[in-house]
């Protein structure tokens, strides 16, 4: 007899950065023979359709997103609106509770995977099924910000509290600076969906689910996973690191030709993700820092706040000063293929989990420039714990970096004879070798699947 298979529902937060990892997991579980009902906003399913590798087993179930006053008509996901309206998208998702409960009942599922819809465990309990919180945020961040040791201390968590790890946290090297601690403390108490505070929503989700899942591996986040398991008193399952497959198309000729004009390992590639609009002064400091290194660079950046294009925001006479060695580009590029190019020797990254995964699989040196949230803890974990990169220094109170701090971080990892550069290069090489281990991903998903069978068997 074959291994038992189940009917699984997926209901991720209405953000493409959450929906996509849930679909990656769905593809892996469908490969094991499970049937997946993937609940997704009606129009959004078209964007995800090409990434459904098992349409015979994974069915998109359209969910009509209720209108909420303050949201533009037709809003479905956070991609459709600015950050300031994300809380209203959460309100809209919360209003699907009754509809989703009826759907799950009719579909006769065995288990539901969720993240920010904190009411799912209660719905699951009423229906006699299990609920799994599949978290795309790192276990290191959840442990630092949301552990019961911090949440249940009987008073409001302050900025000062957030500057140090909670009791029992496995890594004392991870600490927050004043500006980061302030941002985390503010976010904890922010209303996110009706009258529910962000911290309460996350804490309820973790406290009431039957098991917690993370897209990582023990070799990178093991101690943080063990900490969460002991704090919440429930199992943590790991689906393994996401090893992105290389695109089949070649690198665009324009970039292949430009990069090909420089010697191996000499180019700095800087990209800060699709959602970070720098303030104009920080945009200019970053570019001046790249120029200051004296090295060739490709900076893929969005126009800064208040500017219509990157060109209008460039520092005075900047193009002339870096002519022939520096390019600033606003638009999508084939990041994986750029990182693979032999000319690229350094990657300045905002530490989004996808970018970090891609970076660790390549040989370029890492300079870490996190924006906020999970990126901050990931940067600390990579620089202080695993020592695979160097973080750009920022002001303790204002969180601002300078041209000099950008240039210094790049030089630390790139200059010949740098002790720091040698250490991070050696550590990065070891981690890359581990991540490229044959069958690493499949062994983790096998174990994840076994735990799912044990829970539902």
């Amino acid at each position: 007899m074959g291994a038992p298979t189940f009917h699984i529902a997926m209901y991720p937060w209405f953000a493409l950065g959450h929906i996509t990892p849930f679909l990656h997991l769905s593809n892996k579980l469908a490969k094991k023979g499970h049937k997946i009902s993937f609940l997704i906003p009606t129009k959004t399913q078209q964007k995800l359709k090409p990434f459904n590798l098992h349409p015979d087993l994974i069915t998109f179930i359209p969910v009509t997103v209720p209108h909420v006053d303050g949201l533009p008509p037709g809003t479905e996901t956070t991609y459709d609106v600015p950050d300031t309206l994300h809380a209203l998208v959460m309100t809209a998702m919360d209003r699907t509770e009754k509809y989703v409960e009826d759907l799950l009942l009719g579909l006769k599922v065995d288990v539901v995977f969720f993240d920010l819809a904190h009411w799912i465990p209660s719905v699951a309990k009423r229906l006699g099924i299990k609920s799994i919180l599949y978290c795309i945020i790192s276990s290191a961040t959840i442990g630092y910000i949301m552990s019961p040791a911090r949440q249940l201390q009987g008073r409001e968590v302050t900025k000062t509290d957030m500057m140090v790890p909670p009791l029992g946290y496995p890594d004392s090297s991870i600490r927050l600076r004043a500006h980061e601690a302030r941002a985390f403390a503010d976010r904890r108490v922010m209303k996110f969906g009706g009258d529910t505070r962000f911290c309460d929503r996350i804490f309820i989700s973790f406290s009431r689910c039957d098991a917690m899942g993370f897209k990582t591996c023990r070799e990178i986040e093991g101690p943080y996973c063990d900490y969460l398991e002991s704090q919440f008193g429930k199992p943590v399952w790991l689906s393994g690191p996401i090893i992105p497959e290389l695109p089949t198309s070649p690198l665009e000729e324009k970039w292949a030709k430009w990069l090909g004009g420089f010697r191996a390992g000499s180019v700095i590639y800087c990209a800060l993700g699709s959602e970070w609009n720098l303030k104009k002064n920080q945009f200019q400091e970053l570019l001046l820092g790249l120029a200051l290194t004296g090295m060739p660079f490709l900076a893929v950046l969005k126009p800064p706040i208040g500017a219509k294009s990157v060109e209008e925001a460039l520092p005075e006479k900047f193009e002339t000063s870096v002519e022939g060695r520096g390019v600033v580009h606003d638009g999508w590029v084939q990041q994986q293929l750029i990182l693979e190019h032999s000319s690229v020797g350094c990657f300045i990254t905002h530490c989004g989990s996808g970018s970090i995964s891609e970076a660790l699989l390549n040989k370029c040196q890492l300079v870490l420039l996190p924006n906020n949230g999970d990126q901050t803890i990931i940067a600390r974990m990579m620089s202080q714990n695993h020592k695979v990169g160097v973080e750009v220094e920022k002001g303790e109170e204002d969180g601002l970096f300078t041209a000099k701090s950008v240039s210094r971080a790049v030089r630390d990892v790139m200059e010949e004879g740098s002790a720091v550069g040698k250490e991070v290069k050696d550590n990065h090489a070891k981690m890359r070798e581990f991540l490229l281990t044959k069958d690493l991903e499949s062994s983790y998903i096998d174990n994840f699947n076994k735990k799912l069978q044990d829970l539902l068997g």
Side-chain angles (χ1 to χ4, degrees):
M1 282 178 66
T5 58
F6 300 100
H7 187 176
I8 299 167
M10 298 275 175
Y11 197 39
W13 160 227
F14 293 166
L16 292 177
H18 288 237
I19 294 169
T20 305
F22 270 67
L23 186 53
H24 286 156
L25 179 65
S26 298
N27 282 325
K28 291 177 180 182
L29 293 174
K31 215 170 172 181
K32 298 291 182 188
H34 299 297
K35 179 182 174 184
I36 317 281
S37 290
F38 200 106
L39 280 56
I40 187 170
T42 307
K43 290 179 293 184
T44 305
Q45 62 184 316
Q46 284 306 117
K47 292 176 185 162
L48 274 294
K49 214 171 180 179
F51 305 102
N52 180 356
L53 306 182
H54 302 277
D56 54 325
L57 286 168
I58 301 173
T59 305
F60 287 139
I61 309 290
V63 174
T64 302
V65 180
H67 177 68
V68 171
D69 288 344
L71 283 179
T75 297
E76 285 199 336
T77 69
T78 57
Y79 184 79
D80 302 325
V81 292
D83 293 4
T84 49
L85 296 181
H86 287 185
L88 292 180
V89 178
M90 191 75 250
T91 299
M93 188 176 193
D94 286 343
R95 289 183 185 174
T96 66
E97 180 176 351
K98 180 69 175 73
Y99 176 73
V100 167
E101 182 166 354
D102 291 343
L103 256 183
L104 296 176
L105 179 63
L107 288 167
K108 296 183 168 58
V109 301
D110 300 298
V111 60
V112 56
F113 283 70
F114 75 105
D115 50 4
L116 293 192
H118 66 308
W119 38 266
I120 284 284
S122 299
V123 167
K125 208 164 192 175
R126 289 197 292 271
L127 297 177
I129 63 176
K130 301 292 185 184
S131 64
I132 313 293
L133 191 155
Y134 188 61
C135 188
I136 69 146
I137 299 166
S138 73
S139 61
T141 298
I142 294 295
Y144 192 103
I145 307 301
M146 288 292 167
S147 71
R150 202 186 285 289
Q151 186 79 1
L152 302 177
Q153 55 186 13
R155 60 175 174 78
E156 210 57 78
V157 176
T158 66
K159 179 191 90 170
T160 307
D161 292 330
M162 294 300 292
M163 289 177 74
V164 295
L167 193 66
Y169 191 74
D171 188 350
S172 60
S173 73
I174 294 183
R175 290 169 178 262
L176 295 180
R177 300 182 182 110
H179 69 275
E180 297 161 344
R182 189 185 313 117
F184 270 117
D186 290 348
R187 189 168 178 81
R188 280 178 55 87
V189 297
M190 152 184 105
K191 296 285 172 64
F192 198 70
D195 287 329
T196 307
R197 300 190 312 169
F198 185 77
C199 63
D200 295 334
R201 179 178 292 278
I202 302 292
F203 191 73
I204 289 167
S205 296
F206 275 93
S207 300
R208 296 182 183 172
C209 64
D210 292 295
M212 308 173 268
F214 289 90
K215 59 179 187 74
T216 187
C217 56
R218 289 202 63 81
E219 292 79 0
I220 294 177
E221 293 185 48
Y224 313 105
C225 295
D226 292 342
Y227 177 67
L228 283 176
E229 201 163 64
S230 67
Q231 282 281 302
F232 285 100
K234 57 188 64 185
V236 171
W237 305 351
L238 306 183
S239 59
I242 300 296
I243 309 291
E245 291 178 24
L246 269 180
T248 49
S249 54
L251 179 59
E252 195 181 333
E253 190 181 347
K254 174 174 80 168
W255 300 124
K257 189 175 176 185
W258 188 82
L259 289 168
F262 301 100
R263 64 180 174 80
S266 66
V267 177
I268 303 162
Y269 169 60
C270 172
L272 303 182
S274 59
E275 295 188 11
W276 191 3
N277 290 84
L278 291 161
K279 290 180 179 171
K280 187 177 176 182
N281 66 331
Q282 288 288 273
F283 177 85
Q284 294 190 340
E285 286 292 324
L286 176 57
L287 293 180
L288 292 169
L290 291 170
L292 197 57
T293 65
M295 302 170 197
F297 64 87
L298 167 59
V300 179
L301 301 169
K302 295 182 75 174
I305 296 167
K308 291 195 174 100
S309 69
V310 293
E311 288 76 22
E312 73 175 69
L314 295 175
E316 198 176 336
K317 298 180 182 173
F318 183 76
E319 286 175 286
T320 314
S321 70
V322 299
E323 195 172 354
R325 71 172 177 95
V327 174
V328 186
H329 176 72
D330 167 24
W332 184 81
V333 295
Q334 298 153 295
Q335 178 161 290
Q336 283 176 266
L337 294 176
I338 287 172
L339 290 171
E340 269 232 320
H341 197 283
S342 60
S343 294
V344 175
C346 176
F347 179 24
I348 301 179
T349 172
H350 69 306
C351 301
S353 59
S355 289
I356 285 288
S357 295
E358 290 171 1
L360 291 174
L361 291 171
N362 286 287
K363 295 179 180 177
C364 50
Q365 296 279 57
L366 287 180
V367 169
L368 312 168
L369 184 59
N371 178 16
N372 56 30
D374 195 27
Q375 299 162 11
T376 306
I377 303 288
I378 288 175
R380 283 310 115 78
M381 180 168 59
M382 292 297 157
S383 61
Q384 301 296 322
N385 186 322
H386 295 299
K387 292 184 167 48
V388 293
V390 169
E391 193 174 342
V392 174
E393 194 178 323
K394 296 180 183 177
E396 177 71 29
E397 288 292 337
D398 60 18
L400 301 179
F401 54 83
T402 64
K404 282 185 178 175
S405 65
V406 171
S407 175
R408 192 184 310 121
V410 172
R411 288 174 184 278
D412 278 347
V413 299
M414 289 287 278
E415 282 189 341
E416 287 289 328
S418 163
V420 172
K422 184 180 185 313
E423 181 182 34
V424 296
K425 188 173 187 175
D426 290 348
N427 289 334
H428 185 168
K430 286 175 197 162
M431 190 174 283
R432 178 175 180 269
E433 186 181 1
F434 161 71
L435 289 171
L436 292 173
T437 304
K438 191 176 181 297
D439 299 330
L440 174 69
E441 242 190 327
S442 58
S443 68
Y444 267 96
I445 207 66
D446 286 348
N447 193 38
F448 191 96
N449 187 50
K450 171 77 168 62
K451 290 186 172 179
L452 181 64
Q453 290 169 344
D454 291 345
L455 179 73
L456 300 178

